[in-house]
Amino acid sequence: MNQHSKSAPRRRRRYPSRRPPRGKESSHRPKMAPGADKKLESVFSGIGVPRNRPFKPDRFQTDAVAAMAESDCLVTAPTGAGKTWIAVQTIRRTFESGGRAWYASPLKALTNAKLIEFAEIFGPENVGILTGDRKESPDAPIIVGTTEILRNQLYDAMHQGVSMNTDLVVIDEAHFLGDEERGVVWEETLIYLPARIPLLMLSATVGNAGAIADWLTTIRGRSCRVVAETHRPVPLYPLGLHPSGTLMPLTVTGEKGGKKLYRKVAALAGGKKTSAPTHGRGLPPFGDILRVLKAYDLLPAIFFLKSRSDCDAALKFCHGAVPLPVDRKAAIFDRIAELTENSPHLARHRQRIHMEQAGVASHHSGHLPGWKVVVENLMSEGLLTAVFATSTVAAGVNFPARTVVFFNSDRFNGTEFAPLDATQMQQMTGRAGRRGMDKIGFALAVPGRYMDLRLVARLLSSRPGKVHSRIRINFSMVLNLLLSHTPEQVEELLKRSFATWLLISKAADSPQKSRMAGVHEVLWEDFLRHLDFLKETGFVDTANRLTDDGIWASQLRVDQPLLVAECLRQGLLPAGDAAQMAGVFACFVNEKETDDRLEGRLVPNRLKKTVGRIHKKLTGFARHMKSRGFDVRDLYLRPAAMTHAWAAGYPWEHVAKDYSMPEGNLAMLMMRTADNLRHTANLTDVFPEAAATAREAIGLIMRSPVIEDETEGGDQMAED
């Protein structure tokens, strides 16, 4: 373990001034002149609001509801097609028959939105919520929550030897099964879910739904039907933009019926990458593009940009491009005032002026969750002209626009920029076209240095990518399975993994079938490796049963459970000092290397000594882990210092500024730290003083502006 890092110091991001820019975007560059290719005349004539007709469910919706009466069901349908309607009808049937339902989603924001939606449908007294931050009405007949909480409840049910107390499970955004980081939680949930509980899965982007359904049928002994819908409720039309400002069809139908680049776009593309006009900081002429979109009634729009700093910088180039009527400005002002009434920090957000004066906003993970909610509300209510967002907003957030605009055919994957795939493209273009508000939606590809128009054309007509198994063994999984299973029973569970099923199915007619059929042995061997280490360190006895330490450690469903458990065993946590406790836990949730060169005033000596002592005392245990091939994250002072400062009452704005941390990242650090603290707070019987301090620490960090409803903090703890 390395307490310090020598990585390069972080650069502070520049933010636009509180005062909107004056004058033109550039006096040295000619503006785009709005124009449209003649081929678009008939397309643009179809723009408008569809007639308001009585709702009639589509065939795929009624088919899915019917299927759920006798089997499990996996529904794949484009964004906005009406998958939630299927969930509501299925939940209603369960609820009206006296049963209980569980609705799981990957995002807390989406879960919170479903709480509001379902409370309006079924009555607030009948709907509860369970996330890391909120625990409200946990005994309600309808529960919405994150998939991690659902998985943890399955762990607890297996430990208690009971079947989970629900009669229906709905898993939204089912393609998260293939998520590299969190997919293991989805796969565990599907493996552990009792077959008696009907399962409804919903997704817009699953390319191998049949394989997933066949796997579920095999492991659950219960038929799983696929109901697929490819028709978009709002048709999508792809466009290209000439640097002069002329809109063109991106693709046309070829001689053999397939799609190909429109000849003018192909000529423009030339090679794979083309140049495009830019202005300040090398950014596209956003104001000009807005004027082009306005001229052809293509607003509101979502602009997908490559970085958070670009999203923020784009706003100052939009003033004056599309003047807002006085009544629209007043409506925006009033709505922001209403949404930020209980948060002075959000009320004076530096980007508020851009929304009020130009009707534009940025949306990305660098913003506070509360501010993103403000942006989402104004966009979904039709008050904004444009939102500039990173591609992460494409998944799970519901604020569609008439047009989506993108400038890159690649995306940063955390390590490098890699070409977009069909699934990512469909997530972005799924926001184009608002059901009930648009007859047609548009996807505008803007040529530029990082735009491969041919790739985009292919992706727009491609099927979503296949979902792959992400199951892996970790210490929390092993500890929790040993609560209720023998190693032999765990081996049988591992044979039920999607990875094993896929490879066995692929080898069904292969001469290597016998070798492929044993693929689960890789997982099994990794399980045994984890089991051996748990025996060596006293969490499991020689009879493969959890020791007393193993039993309470199984409740630490956190990022680094054994390191936290070792801190508890050695009494290393600063029990009695809640601010220090918060700082220490921030070390354990931090995932990235960070620059620990801080001014002395930013690191209190007591905290530095505490972290140093923990680092020293854990060194032997960490070396032991590494010697057995397990990864151990380094501990860094910076996340500890900034979390301690916030917990100790240092002003939020000063914490973000002094430690050079974007507000959204800082809020995420606090929320993840609180999630980890909750598990220690639940160990009241074993470590009462540490548990009490952890509970107090949660209250210190989970307050405005990290959360806007402080009942979601220390007093409302969910079992996580």
Side-chain angles (χ1 to χ4, degrees):
M1 296 175 68
N2 183 9
Q3 184 181 340
H4 299 283
S5 171
K6 297 182 180 180
S7 57
R10 295 186 177 189
R11 294 182 179 177
R12 291 188 180 180
R13 299 189 182 278
R14 295 180 180 178
Y15 293 94
S17 168
R18 283 285 298 164
R19 178 178 297 174
R22 297 177 180 177
K24 300 178 181 179
E25 296 170 31
S26 173
S27 58
H28 304 290
R29 181 186 55 79
K31 293 182 179 180
M32 288 181 172
D37 189 281
K38 289 184 178 181
K39 281 187 173 291
L40 293 177
E41 290 181 359
S42 61
V43 178
F44 287 170
S45 67
I47 294 175
V49 178
R51 285 191 302 168
N52 188 10
R53 298 177 177 175
F55 173 76
K56 181 180 179 181
D58 293 332
R59 175 69 179 271
F60 86 93
Q61 294 174 306
T62 56
D63 284 352
V65 173
M68 282 300 298
E70 55 188 28
S71 67
D72 294 339
C73 188
L74 170 55
V75 179
T76 64
T79 300
K83 295 185 291 294
T84 298
W85 184 89
I86 299 169
V88 168
Q89 299 308 310
T90 308
I91 292 171
R92 188 191 305 278
R93 185 163 56 197
T94 300
F95 174 64
E96 291 180 348
S97 64
R100 302 171 57 84
W102 226 105
Y103 187 103
S105 85
L107 305 173
K108 291 179 182 178
L110 183 58
T111 303
N112 290 333
K114 291 301 178 186
L115 172 68
I116 296 171
E117 182 180 353
F118 289 172
E120 292 177 352
I121 296 172
F122 300 104
E125 71 280 5
N126 294 314
V127 185
I129 185 170
L130 293 175
T131 69
D133 299 335
R134 302 180 69 178
K135 181 179 182 181
E136 299 173 13
S137 304
D139 296 322
I142 300 169
I143 294 294
V144 296
T146 53
T147 311
E148 280 81 0
I149 300 293
L150 173 60
R151 188 276 312 270
N152 291 345
Q153 287 196 348
L154 288 167
Y155 274 151
D156 293 336
M158 290 189 295
H159 173 45
Q160 296 163 10
V162 299
S163 182
M164 186 176 171
N165 186 23
T166 192
D167 304 289
L168 169 69
V169 165
V170 180
I171 296 184
D172 201 358
E173 307 290 346
H175 54 274
F176 265 76
L177 175 65
D179 184 82
E180 190 167 351
E181 293 298 320
R182 299 173 65 193
V184 59
V185 175
W186 268 250
E187 190 159 347
E188 281 191 88
T189 299
L190 296 173
I191 291 172
Y192 306 154
L193 188 69
R196 73 161 186 85
I197 301 175
L199 172 66
L200 172 62
M201 301 177 68
L202 309 171
S203 178
T205 49
V206 173
N208 55 340
I212 294 173
D214 288 347
W215 166 60
L216 290 171
T217 298
T218 300
I219 67 169
R220 284 169 54 79
R222 176 188 178 94
S223 175
C224 181
R225 280 189 54 191
V226 174
V227 175
E229 174 60 69
T230 58
H231 174 73
R232 285 177 54 107
V234 180
L236 177 72
Y237 194 93
L239 300 170
L241 179 66
H242 192 277
S244 66
T246 299
L247 295 165
M248 303 174 290
L250 183 69
T251 60
V252 293
T253 303
E255 295 178 359
K256 297 182 179 180
K259 293 292 184 180
K260 65 176 184 178
L261 283 180
Y262 180 43
R263 59 180 178 80
K264 293 181 181 179
V265 175
L268 178 65
K272 285 188 175 181
K273 297 177 180 178
T274 60
S275 61
T278 60
H279 53 65
R281 292 187 54 182
L283 293 172
F286 297 116
D288 284 357
I289 296 173
L290 281 174
R291 281 186 280 267
V292 172
L293 296 177
K294 173 64 175 177
Y296 293 95
D297 201 14
L298 298 177
L299 296 175
I302 299 174
F303 288 70
F304 287 114
L305 305 181
K306 66 179 176 62
S307 70
R308 301 185 300 192
S309 59
D310 282 358
C311 293
D312 292 335
L315 302 182
K316 62 184 177 182
F317 297 111
C318 298
H319 287 262
V322 181
L324 292 180
V326 174
D327 60 341
R328 174 76 68 82
K329 287 186 178 181
I332 292 174
F333 180 89
D334 291 343
R335 191 68 175 109
I336 295 176
E338 181 182 353
L339 291 168
T340 62
E341 181 180 6
N342 297 319
S343 176
H345 181 78
L346 293 183
R348 54 179 189 268
H349 196 282
R350 62 170 61 91
Q351 293 186 2
R352 176 173 180 167
I353 195 169
H354 297 296
M355 287 204 285
E356 293 176 344
Q357 298 298 320
V360 296
S362 69
H363 186 293
H364 54 68
S365 59
H367 286 309
L368 285 167
W371 184 251
K372 289 191 287 186
V373 170
V374 172
V375 174
E376 291 161 15
N377 272 275
L378 267 67
M379 187 65 174
S380 62
E381 293 164 14
L383 293 175
L384 298 185
T385 298
V387 168
F388 297 86
T390 53
S391 57
T392 52
V393 80
V397 177
N398 182 29
F399 59 93
R402 178 163 291 175
T403 303
V404 298
V405 185
F406 48 102
F407 302 82
N408 295 45
S409 56
D410 57 4
R411 184 169 81 164
F412 190 68
N413 61 15
T415 305
E416 60 184 354
F417 280 93
L420 292 171
D421 58 34
T423 297
Q424 293 163 342
M425 178 62 70
Q426 288 197 20
Q427 289 285 353
M428 289 193 290
T429 58
R431 304 297 154 194
R434 301 159 297 176
R435 188 169 190 175
M437 299 176 67
D438 292 315
K439 291 182 179 179
I440 186 169
F442 296 88
L444 175 62
V446 180
R449 183 180 178 187
Y450 301 106
M451 173 61 76
D452 183 343
L453 292 169
R454 291 183 174 84
L455 172 63
V456 169
R458 288 197 301 272
L459 294 179
L460 286 170
S461 58
S462 300
R463 289 172 51 85
K466 293 182 178 180
V467 170
H468 300 286
S469 172
R470 300 296 183 182
I471 196 166
R472 63 184 184 276
I473 305 299
N474 57 58
F475 284 112
S476 183
M477 177 195 295
V478 174
L479 288 167
N480 277 277
L481 287 177
L482 288 176
L483 280 171
S484 52
H485 294 75
T486 64
E488 292 74 23
Q489 290 170 327
V490 172
E491 183 178 15
E492 290 303 311
L493 279 179
L494 296 179
K495 290 179 181 179
R496 295 155 60 89
S497 75
F498 187 37
T500 299
W501 184 90
L502 281 172
L503 290 173
I504 291 176
S505 299
K506 186 182 295 185
D509 300 317
S510 167
Q512 299 178 333
K513 180 178 179 180
S514 59
R515 180 178 66 84
M516 298 292 283
V519 68
H520 75 277
E521 293 176 3
V522 175
L523 289 172
W524 174 237
E525 290 172 3
D526 201 23
F527 173 85
L528 292 177
R529 186 169 68 95
H530 283 73
L531 178 62
D532 288 342
F533 185 81
L534 290 172
K535 288 181 178 179
E536 292 173 11
T537 51
F539 293 101
V540 176
D541 63 22
T542 56
N544 296 320
R545 292 187 298 261
L546 294 184
T547 62
D548 289 343
D549 284 351
I551 291 173
W552 60 255
S554 69
Q555 303 306 306
L556 297 173
R557 295 156 185 167
V558 296
D559 296 338
Q560 303 186 75
L562 294 194
L563 292 184
V564 175
E566 191 63 15
C567 282
L568 287 164
R569 288 204 296 193
Q570 294 190 38
L572 302 179
L573 295 178
D577 188 330
Q580 282 210 59
M581 182 74 88
V584 166
F585 268 81
C587 292
F588 292 121
V589 305
N590 184 63
E591 295 178 341
K592 299 179 180 179
E593 289 190 4
T594 184
D595 177 18
D596 267 5
R597 289 175 290 181
L598 296 169
E599 296 179 38
R601 68 181 179 86
L602 297 179
V603 188
N605 285 332
R606 286 186 62 200
L607 177 67
K608 192 172 184 177
K609 289 179 180 179
T610 298
V611 174
R613 180 170 59 91
I614 291 174
H615 166 256
K616 181 178 180 180
K617 293 290 186 179
L618 287 183
T619 296
F621 189 85
R623 285 176 178 169
H624 188 191
M625 287 189 72
K626 289 181 178 179
S627 72
R628 297 295 187 266
F630 298 108
D631 292 332
V632 180
R633 297 178 191 164
D634 291 338
L635 299 182
Y636 293 97
L637 268 175
R638 181 179 290 272
M642 65 180 73
T643 304
H644 176 270
W646 173 237
Y650 201 56
W652 177 263
E653 294 88 343
H654 293 180
V655 176
K657 180 181 179 181
D658 288 350
Y659 295 94
S660 302
M661 175 73 81
E663 287 188 306
N665 293 47
L666 185 57
M668 182 58 67
L669 175 63
M670 299 306 153
M671 288 189 284
R672 291 194 60 196
T673 299
D675 281 344
N676 278 243
L677 283 164
R678 284 187 183 93
H679 299 276
T680 295
N682 288 331
L683 300 180
T684 306
D685 294 339
V686 191
F687 302 101
E689 189 177 4
T693 307
R695 180 180 290 272
E696 183 183 353
I698 294 170
L700 293 179
I701 62 177
M702 292 299 284
R703 52 193 172 90
S704 180
V706 177
I707 57 172
E708 296 310 322
D709 179 0
E710 296 196 13
T711 62
E712 296 177 22
D715 294 334
Q716 295 291 335
M717 298 203 309
E719 185 180 359
D720 193 8

